[in-house]
Amino acid sequence: MTTIRREVLTLPAAPQGPDNPLPPLRPLDEAHRIDDRDRAGLPRDMARQVDYEPLRSLLPVMVRDGYGRDREPRELDALVIENDRLRATVLPALGGRIASLRHKPTDRELLYVNPVLQPANFALNGAWFSGGIEWNIGATGHTTLSCSPVHAARVPAPDGGEMLRLWEWERLRDLPFQVDLWLPEGSDFLYVGVRVRNPHERPVPTYWWSNIAVPEDRRVLAPADEAYHFGYERRLRRVPVPEYDGTDRTYPLNSTYAADYFYDVPDGRRRWIAALDEHGHGLAQTSTDVLRGRKLFVWGTGPGGRRWQEWLTEPGTGGYCEIQAGLARTQLEHVRLDAESEVSWLEAYGPLEATPDGDWHTVLRGAEERLESALPRAGVDAAYEVWRAHADTEPGERLATGSGWGALEALRAGWKLPGTPFGEDTLGEEQEPWLHLLRTGTLPETGHREPPGSTLVARPWRDMLETTAATPLAEYHLGVAQWHADDRAQAVRSWERGLKGAADRWPLLRCLAAADQADGHAERAADQYAEAFDDLCARRPDPGRASDADAPDRDGRWTAVAAALGREAIGALLAVGRTADARAVWERLDPATRTRGRFRLAEGELLAAEGRHEEARAVFDEGFEVADLREGDESIGALWARLGDEPLPARHDFRMRPDAG
């Protein structure tokens, strides 16, 4: 019989740290956008979905950039679902990631299991980690829930056993979703039922990719003769499979640079993908037809790709690639989910043994026959129908608790969502001011000079902010919501109104500075940033002052605010050549903040701007690691190139495209 139990994993882990307290007002730094030249000739449905409401802002989600790279043993709560054939280990506090899938009769691990927990800047909102199977919902890229808790509970399974249900509220699109993990007795395949619901009275763009990490010394098989190739040059081109540019790209180690291969699986063909080692052992993933897309991601064998692999784990632990399955052909697209509707499907994950090498069509035919023998396509369709009848079943024992945002939205709209309860008992500190606004029509002031919390930006919340008392805090939040709605002029007016009566001016000044930057007013933005940082320094609680002795830096919030605002201010001041003012900001940062890799890089840029190139070079010689370096970010190499003609040291080479300078 299938069992579900709690377990504790102990891994070397870097602390996640506090979220960035500043609302993300700048345009989304998102790699999955294509050159306009490549839009012509796309299939009509694909072109339509590429242009369908791409995400332009992270709001209301905050950026996660407080993590470091000093790892210490840490206990992680895990949930294990197991039958006599398979054992799946799930991390409910980390997006419901399946960390391990082990086939018991052969004692083989089917996934790439990362031996460490090291956040890196790959999720839409920053912190993400590699390994296992992750559930990507929201918008093109890794989900903002990568390092966030989800709800989990036991649910009766279709065969009378137990399922493990994971569910949460996705905040970028305001959509609830669930993932049901089910191991039928005697099954070599883990069944995964997924449902995404749109409770709104309007269509909503949705997105889903199941992302599976497997060792890279594999051959990846998918039933396609062509694929869409997408690299960090942001060019999309149709290429043949398996051989492209004289090389068989179905072997991940044959590629030099990081790239996506979105396989164009013909209509009517079974949806599946597999990764097999040289002996023909490996993992297969298949699904009902709704989950149409299949993809291979490779890091490549170039220095940048190898450096990223080391960065995400420990040197010498082996590299990985990703095989994926999604709702659309590519990750560049969003799918329309009609008002008050849902989309659901069933996936299956399990071992596959087949011949990996040889003629492409012969290999595919053999693998497909072995898959059909192990798990018939009709069996997957039938299992979906059986599971679908249980998708509304109310959960039993609660095994983990996610966020309170779903409960807040369910209260606001009066939604009933069978199978995925968002109970009021899950409401927490983050939701308190918004619950107060919902129930009383007023937004409470924050405590003793605390930074303002996150803003809710959906239209119903914006309407409430427009009718509540026009306090400086309400004007601040209203302006953020208006900015998100692309009503920039009104957002600026709200922030300016709030500024007139604000005791703490820095949050509003920072928003106005970001608005000036977006509008190309660089000098005025620099002025606003300098004034905002001055005000923050004057008002930030200082335990050394008698008046602030009872105002500790709770949860490191003030340190995080000063770091985030100081970083933006230095960048804005350097952009207009005001090196002395940038230096003044730098000098007032906390000493511990200045030792962080991101700020060591900022120090190097400041020194270079001051003409002190030898001292800037010394920053490199002393060594630093930018923990939150963004994928595709070439700022380290750009600074190095300003300081001399020597090749970029390997430890700083994160370049992911062939024409990177």
Side-chain angles (χ1 to χ4, degrees):
M1 289 291 292
T2 297
T3 61
I4 299 173
R5 68 177 187 275
R6 300 177 190 270
E7 199 170 90
V8 175
L9 297 183
T10 301
L11 291 178
Q16 186 166 300
D19 288 356
N20 187 320
L22 304 182
L25 301 179
R26 295 179 178 178
L28 190 67
D29 178 19
E30 214 288 284
H32 294 93
R33 292 177 183 164
I34 64 174
D35 191 294
D36 287 340
R37 292 171 292 177
D38 298 328
R39 293 176 184 272
L42 292 179
R44 185 171 300 176
D45 62 329
M46 185 173 168
R48 182 175 61 251
Q49 290 177 169
V50 164
D51 291 328
Y52 180 48
E53 295 195 33
L55 192 68
R56 304 185 191 284
S57 166
L58 272 179
L59 290 167
V61 177
M62 305 297 269
V63 172
R64 291 211 155 126
D65 60 4
Y67 51 87
R69 291 189 56 79
D70 294 328
R71 297 189 287 265
E72 295 182 354
R74 173 182 159 195
E75 292 186 345
L76 302 174
D77 291 332
L79 300 172
V80 176
I81 178 169
E82 183 173 15
N83 67 1
D84 60 336
R85 312 290 293 176
L86 283 176
R87 181 171 62 249
T89 303
V90 181
L91 303 177
L94 295 166
R97 181 83 59 101
I98 296 181
S100 168
L101 183 62
R102 196 158 198 91
H103 187 234
K104 295 164 69 173
T106 59
D107 195 29
R108 289 197 184 101
E109 175 59 52
L110 301 181
L111 305 175
Y112 166 77
V113 176
N114 196 334
V116 305
L117 177 58
Q118 177 57 63
N121 194 356
F122 280 79
L124 285 164
N125 62 331
W128 172 87
F129 65 102
S130 64
I133 305 173
E134 60 176 315
W135 319 112
N136 286 295
I137 181 174
T140 53
H142 290 284
T143 178
T144 62
L145 295 168
S146 294
C147 292
S148 293
V150 297
H151 303 282
R154 300 179 193 269
V155 182
D159 61 356
E162 289 185 318
M163 289 192 298
L164 174 60
R165 175 164 298 163
L166 311 170
W167 74 99
E168 194 36 280
W169 191 274
E170 199 288 308
R171 301 182 67 205
L172 294 178
R173 303 299 195 181
D174 272 333
L175 298 177
F177 71 97
Q178 72 189 76
V179 177
D180 287 354
L181 307 180
W182 170 31
L183 271 174
E185 186 175 358
S187 174
D188 277 309
F189 282 80
L190 172 69
Y191 289 175
V192 180
V194 183
R195 176 167 63 165
V196 181
R197 287 190 272 197
N198 176 15
H200 303 281
E201 296 178 348
R202 55 180 171 79
V204 175
T206 191
Y207 171 94
W208 185 280
W209 282 81
S210 300
N211 197 15
I212 310 140
V214 293
E216 65 183 352
D217 57 345
R218 299 288 188 268
R219 190 182 197 190
V220 173
L221 310 179
D225 292 327
E226 292 184 304
Y228 290 94
H229 171 274
F230 184 74
Y232 281 80
E233 313 93 317
R234 299 190 177 183
R235 297 300 308 274
L236 184 70
R237 56 179 63 90
R238 197 174 179 92
V239 300
V241 175
E243 188 172 300
Y244 161 54
D245 199 20
T247 302
D248 189 332
R249 305 292 176 170
T250 62
Y251 295 89
L253 290 172
N254 282 353
S255 291
T256 304
Y257 297 100
D260 299 326
Y261 292 91
F262 299 103
Y263 296 113
D264 193 6
V265 180
D267 291 342
R269 193 81 181 264
R270 183 176 187 176
R271 263 56 187 166
W272 64 276
I273 192 168
L276 304 178
D277 67 18
E278 61 180 338
H279 304 294
H281 306 306
L283 170 80
Q285 186 273 0
T286 187
S287 71
T288 48
D289 289 351
V290 167
L291 202 66
R292 68 173 298 178
R294 292 299 183 274
K295 170 193 162 182
L296 164 65
F297 168 76
V298 299
W299 283 105
T301 57
R306 304 331 290 172
R307 184 69 180 107
W308 274 117
Q309 293 256 37
E310 293 176 354
W311 189 252
L312 294 168
T313 181
E314 290 182 334
T317 55
Y320 76 97
C321 63
E322 294 169 0
I323 57 174
Q324 304 183 21
L327 281 175
R329 281 188 182 92
T330 73
Q331 288 176 325
L332 312 171
E333 304 165 67
H334 296 100
V335 176
R336 176 188 169 106
L337 190 56
D338 289 333
E340 299 179 335
S341 71
E342 62 183 50
V343 60
S344 61
W345 61 90
L346 187 83
E347 304 180 45
Y349 296 81
L352 182 68
E353 294 191 12
T355 301
D357 302 321
D359 170 72
W360 180 241
H361 292 105
T362 303
V363 167
L364 284 184
R365 186 164 51 252
E368 211 156 22
E369 289 172 354
R370 297 300 296 269
L371 178 60
E372 182 66 17
S373 175
L375 185 65
R377 182 180 186 180
V380 174
D381 292 339
Y384 167 74
E385 296 298 335
V386 172
W387 164 76
R388 190 64 189 80
H390 289 72
D392 285 349
T393 302
E394 290 302 316
E397 179 192 359
R398 182 70 64 91
L399 299 172
T401 301
S403 78
W405 295 114
L408 183 66
E409 292 298 331
L411 275 174
R412 179 192 62 76
W415 285 318
K416 303 299 181 185
L417 300 164
T420 54
F422 293 97
E424 291 187 42
D425 59 336
T426 63
L427 292 165
E429 181 182 356
E430 287 185 293
Q431 292 82 42
E432 282 181 6
W434 301 100
L435 183 63
H436 192 276
L437 176 64
L438 179 65
R439 288 177 168 167
T440 69
T442 61
L443 193 67
E445 292 295 319
T446 55
H448 181 79
R449 287 196 287 180
E450 286 190 4
S454 60
T455 303
L456 292 181
V457 297
R459 182 57 186 265
W461 295 105
R462 192 166 81 244
D463 290 345
M464 283 184 252
L465 288 169
E466 287 175 345
T467 57
T468 192
T471 64
L473 182 63
E475 296 285 13
Y476 164 83
H477 285 299
L478 175 58
V480 174
Q482 290 165 333
W483 184 267
H484 175 263
D486 207 26
D487 190 353
R488 295 189 172 190
Q490 194 59 53
V492 168
R493 283 193 286 271
S494 295
W495 292 327
E496 288 175 343
R497 281 196 306 269
L499 200 58
K500 293 176 182 177
D504 292 346
R505 295 166 55 82
W506 65 265
L508 293 149
L509 286 167
R510 182 265 174 178
C511 289
L512 290 168
D516 279 331
Q517 269 190 330
D519 291 338
H521 303 303
E523 284 285 357
R524 196 163 66 197
D527 288 339
Q528 302 268 33
Y529 267 121
E531 187 179 352
F533 194 75
D534 287 344
D535 184 72
L536 173 67
C537 291
R539 298 183 179 279
R540 178 182 176 185
D542 181 355
R545 292 196 298 254
S547 60
D548 291 338
D550 62 341
D553 186 5
R554 188 161 64 94
D555 301 328
R557 294 184 191 183
W558 283 107
T559 300
V561 166
L565 184 57
R567 175 176 163 183
E568 290 187 10
I570 290 171
L573 291 163
L574 287 180
V576 295
R578 290 167 56 175
T579 55
D581 291 335
R583 172 63 63 182
V585 172
W586 167 264
E587 297 293 346
R588 284 178 288 172
L589 292 172
D590 292 329
T593 296
R594 293 200 299 262
T595 65
R596 289 168 52 188
R598 170 61 64 184
F599 291 87
R600 292 288 284 156
L601 176 60
E603 181 184 19
E605 291 169 338
L606 177 57
L607 289 165
E610 292 170 330
R612 299 156 65 182
H613 284 203
E614 289 187 7
E615 292 170 77
R617 174 63 182 266
V619 172
F620 280 91
D621 295 340
E622 292 163 11
F624 63 89
E625 291 185 324
V626 181
D628 63 326
L629 187 71
R630 185 70 172 167
E631 62 169 319
D633 187 340
E634 298 171 4
S635 57
I636 295 177
L639 175 59
W640 177 265
R642 290 171 59 190
L643 302 177
D645 298 325
E646 295 181 29
L648 182 66
R651 68 180 181 276
H652 292 304
D653 190 351
F654 293 91
R655 294 171 293 186
M656 299 175 73
R657 58 190 177 102
D659 59 345

